[in-house]
Amino acid sequence: MAAAALAKSLVGMQVHIRLIESARIGAVGVGEATIPPILDFIRQLGIDEDELIREIKATFKLGIGYRDWTRLGHFYFHPFGPTGPGMGAVSFPAYWLKMFLEGRAAPLEEYSIQAIAARQGRFARPVHAPNTPLNKLTYALHFDASQFARYLRCFAEARGVQRTEGDVKSVSLRPNDGFIDALSLESGERIAADLFIDCSGFRGVLIEEALGTGYENWSHWLPCDRALVAHSELAEAPAPYTLVTAREAGWQWRIPLQHRNGNGYVYSSAFSTDEAARAVLTTHLTGKLLGEPRSLNFTPGRRRLAWNKNCVAFGLAAGFLEPLEATSIHLIQRGIAMLLKFFPDRDFAPADIERYNRMLESEFGRVRDFLLMHYTQTERVDAFWNECRSIALTDELREKLELFRSHGRILREESELFPVLSWLSVFVGQNIIPRRYDPLVDALTAQKIQAKLEEIRNAVRCCAQTMPSHQDFIDRHCAWSSAADSKKALAAH
Ligand SMILES: Cc1cc2nc3c(=O)[nH]c(=O)nc-3n(C[C@H](O)[C@H](O)[C@H](O)COP(=O)(O)OP(=O)(O)OC[C@H]3O[C@@H](n4cnc5c(N)ncnc54)[C@H](O)[C@@H]3O)c2cc1C
């Protein structure tokens, strides 16, 4: 992602970009769900979305279904997209909540076209249909992260990036200021540069092993430290959403791609053995297991400085927050966008670096709080979930919860990632119910609100019915073909 974005953005500058990757070490090979801003990244690169989807066997995602999370047998949906329209000074959440508290509103999902379409297995891109929910259809993608990386590698190479296959063996620092001077590869090649971008995964070969930047361990907030990952056959048409199911010691994901399901069980090693985790994962697959599950250990948290001296870390090298809300690839995208905003010259102005680090710290923190809310606000009674409820909240999250509990207010910091509908869906989905409604709503009569709610609900229902099935949409626009794949494999031989 970094090589592709820089190759595209720095055109015309006298900049030479090199990409070093090790086939021996390989990539982590997981990361299949995204959130809507990924489409901006793809469009900014000028990539044709349908072509990309076809190449990387992607599917569409309208949100996340949470099963057994609030309590066993419960299901709620966290859809993408905006909330319904406001009425004068009164926001949709405010007037919907009033009616909901009085038992006079339908469930929140019925006012979201993403939620209804997901439930019905439908998908369409937004169309120009002013004042209808079809205008604002919001989606992201499910894809195979390794294939996405390969696609972007070719994109970058076609724009002048020089790729070198090999292992970085050592890193030399400038004696005067400790900046990175050069990398030495196993082959003996020495590569000097002005700016180094560390995308080396959990180890952080440059940012940590060479620069000793330090890592903030957030496991006192986020209790899971293992993931078991497996592919399975598609037993049914791919659903246009990620399914997340809470389990005894964590949670399981199912991410449907065009050719298989991606599955994983994220769990706490303090509450489950690896054997028990394997049993949980494999007995809850919807299709036949393909290959052996793979185990990954991780420490949730973030690098103390994502940008240190002349090294900027992206991806797992910058930190890791579990994939419950599919935010890691997005944080890479944000890191790249902010690097371009504060792009350095050879002086590396400390003010730029400080600002960049503060912004990234804040983005990681907001995502952490959203995840923390998921973990701490449940009614499950397993030992793991009981312990989760005793996790100390951050001050920011405590304030958010209190504002919502008192009058249903949703506080979003400037440039915060998750929109109002995300917070509202997860609050209500996890049974966090305000004590009172926003007094401003009394400016509207109950009749007026009910008419508006009915209008939105009907529009959502009717518009959803015009959408094709997810599978039909893929077949019509961007279906992967196994024949094309075999042709490419033959050509590669
Ligand atoms: C269990 C799990 C599930 C996830 N699910 C999601 C998800 O649904 N959505 C999402 O957005 N994110 C998800 N992520 C995160 C996502 O996988 C990563 O953000 C993404 O794949 C980027 O990884 P990376 O490039 O930072 O690291 P890696 O994929 O580990 O790549 C590291 C690269 O550095 C190279 N390298 C390493 N050391 C050296 C060396 N010494 N010399 C030369 N090259 C080297 C490797 O060859 C490789 O190319 C998940 C992560 C995990 C662990």
Side-chain angles (χ1 to χ4, degrees):
M1 286 175 75
L6 294 186
K8 173 85 180 173
S9 306
L10 305 185
V11 170
M13 285 176 72
Q14 296 302 309
V15 172
H16 182 46
I17 303 170
R18 298 199 55 176
L19 169 64
I20 302 159
E21 291 182 291
S22 161
R24 188 188 65 79
I25 296 169
V28 68
V30 280
E32 306 192 318
T34 62
I35 52 177
I38 190 70
L39 301 170
D40 299 331
F41 182 80
I42 293 165
R43 287 168 197 155
Q44 278 154 15
L45 293 187
I47 291 173
D48 179 83
E49 198 181 300
D50 281 343
E51 183 207 286
L52 174 75
I53 290 174
R54 206 173 291 122
E55 286 286 324
I56 64 176
K57 302 169 188 152
T59 59
F60 296 95
K61 173 180 171 189
L62 293 167
I64 307 174
Y66 281 91
R67 189 166 67 182
D68 295 340
W69 190 280
T70 309
R71 58 184 170 275
L72 275 173
H74 183 268
F75 181 91
Y76 78 92
F77 198 76
H78 166 193
F80 296 137
T83 58
M87 294 170 78
V90 185
S91 67
F92 171 87
Y95 67 77
W96 175 79
L97 270 167
K98 174 184 167 162
M99 288 298 157
F100 177 71
L101 290 175
E102 294 174 358
R104 293 195 278 173
L108 184 60
E109 289 161 25
E110 301 203 12
Y111 303 94
S112 157
I113 185 135
Q114 286 74 209
I116 293 298
R119 195 203 294 160
Q120 298 177 359
R122 296 177 191 266
F123 179 77
R125 290 199 173 100
V127 289
H128 183 67
N131 301 324
T132 77
L134 293 172
N135 206 27
K136 300 199 183 85
L137 269 163
T138 309
Y139 64 96
L141 302 175
H142 294 131
F143 56 56
D144 179 324
S146 306
Q147 293 188 0
F148 184 50
R150 264 196 296 278
Y151 184 96
L152 293 179
R153 185 233 279 183
C154 296
F155 176 96
E157 285 184 296
R159 281 155 189 80
V161 170
Q162 182 189 346
R163 179 178 180 273
T164 304
E165 162 63 47
D167 289 18
V168 173
K169 226 178 107 212
S170 63
V171 180
S172 58
L173 305 183
R174 299 197 310 226
N176 54 333
D177 57 10
F179 277 44
I180 298 178
D181 186 25
L183 315 178
S184 298
L185 304 189
E186 195 118 303
S187 62
E189 186 184 4
R190 182 174 182 279
I191 300 175
D194 298 307
L195 172 67
F196 292 84
I197 299 185
D198 187 346
C199 305
S200 65
F202 285 125
R203 271 173 59 197
V205 174
L206 310 184
I207 195 85
E208 194 57 53
E209 292 182 357
L211 294 179
T213 303
Y215 192 79
E216 260 178 36
N217 181 331
W218 285 355
S219 46
H220 52 292
W221 282 311
L222 299 172
C224 294
D225 57 356
R226 298 265 161 100
L228 202 59
V229 183
H231 298 165
S232 65
E233 281 178 359
L234 270 184
E236 53 203 36
Y241 64 93
T242 303
L243 178 66
V244 158
T245 308
R247 303 277 179 223
E248 296 77 9
W251 59 275
Q252 181 170 346
W253 79 75
R254 188 193 68 196
I255 296 175
L257 305 184
Q258 288 192 34
H259 60 310
R260 61 162 173 79
N261 280 314
N263 308 275
Y265 181 28
V266 174
Y267 61 100
S268 160
S269 61
F271 288 86
S272 172
T273 61
D274 294 345
E275 295 71 44
R278 190 185 187 288
V280 167
L281 179 69
T282 55
T283 51
H284 292 100
L285 297 177
T286 31
K288 200 175 133 222
L289 178 67
L290 299 169
E292 260 308 290
R294 210 157 52 87
S295 178
L296 292 158
N297 297 352
F298 58 83
T299 307
R302 68 169 194 103
R303 202 67 61 197
R304 282 187 200 287
L305 302 172
W307 184 341
N308 189 4
K309 302 183 190 290
N310 60 341
C311 174
V312 183
F314 292 147
L316 303 173
F320 181 63
L321 298 174
E322 57 173 80
L324 185 61
E325 287 282 347
T327 41
S328 292
I329 293 172
H330 175 75
L331 289 168
I332 298 174
Q333 186 182 338
R334 289 295 295 150
I336 295 168
M338 282 191 273
L339 174 62
L340 287 168
K341 195 177 170 107
F342 295 103
F343 203 75
D345 56 21
R346 289 194 179 87
D347 285 342
F348 285 91
D352 285 343
I353 300 179
E354 272 164 32
R355 185 68 191 178
Y356 177 97
N357 282 326
R358 269 214 317 280
M359 286 169 79
L360 245 252
E361 178 182 357
S362 160
E363 301 232 358
F364 265 80
R366 299 292 70 75
V367 172
R368 174 206 57 212
D369 285 355
F370 196 48
L371 300 180
L372 185 56
M373 179 172 76
H374 288 71
Y375 273 104
T376 52
Q377 313 298 312
T378 76
E379 295 162 18
R380 287 194 60 127
V381 290
D382 328 60
F384 169 77
W385 292 100
N386 284 342
E387 176 124 331
C388 286
R389 273 192 296 281
S390 67
I391 296 173
L393 305 180
T394 61
D395 290 345
E396 292 86 351
L397 178 58
R398 193 173 309 112
E399 186 191 13
K400 269 200 160 79
L401 281 164
E402 190 38 42
L403 283 166
F404 188 75
R405 283 199 172 107
S406 68
H407 285 92
R409 298 190 212 284
I410 296 175
L411 172 77
R412 282 181 74 244
E413 304 297 343
E414 204 191 329
S415 80
E416 189 175 315
L417 172 60
F418 292 102
V420 168
L421 182 61
S422 293
W423 283 99
L424 182 63
S425 302
V426 180
F427 279 143
V428 175
Q430 296 194 203
N431 212 15
I432 302 167
I433 306 299
R435 291 185 285 276
R436 287 178 293 275
Y437 63 86
D438 183 338
L440 271 192
V441 186
D442 284 337
L444 306 168
T445 63
Q447 234 176 353
K448 211 166 166 193
I449 301 176
Q450 270 185 317
K452 187 73 184 167
L453 286 175
E454 245 347 85
E455 181 192 319
I456 300 171
R457 197 167 156 220
N458 278 336
V460 161
R461 202 183 302 142
C462 296
C463 289
Q465 251 152 34
T466 67
M467 294 166 69
S469 79
H470 183 218
Q471 185 67 64
D472 281 352
F473 187 91
I474 291 173
D475 290 345
R476 212 173 306 152
H477 297 277
C478 46
W480 153 73
S481 115
S482 56
D485 248 23
S486 342
K487 248 198 232 157
K488 267 186 228 149
L490 277 175
H493 278 292

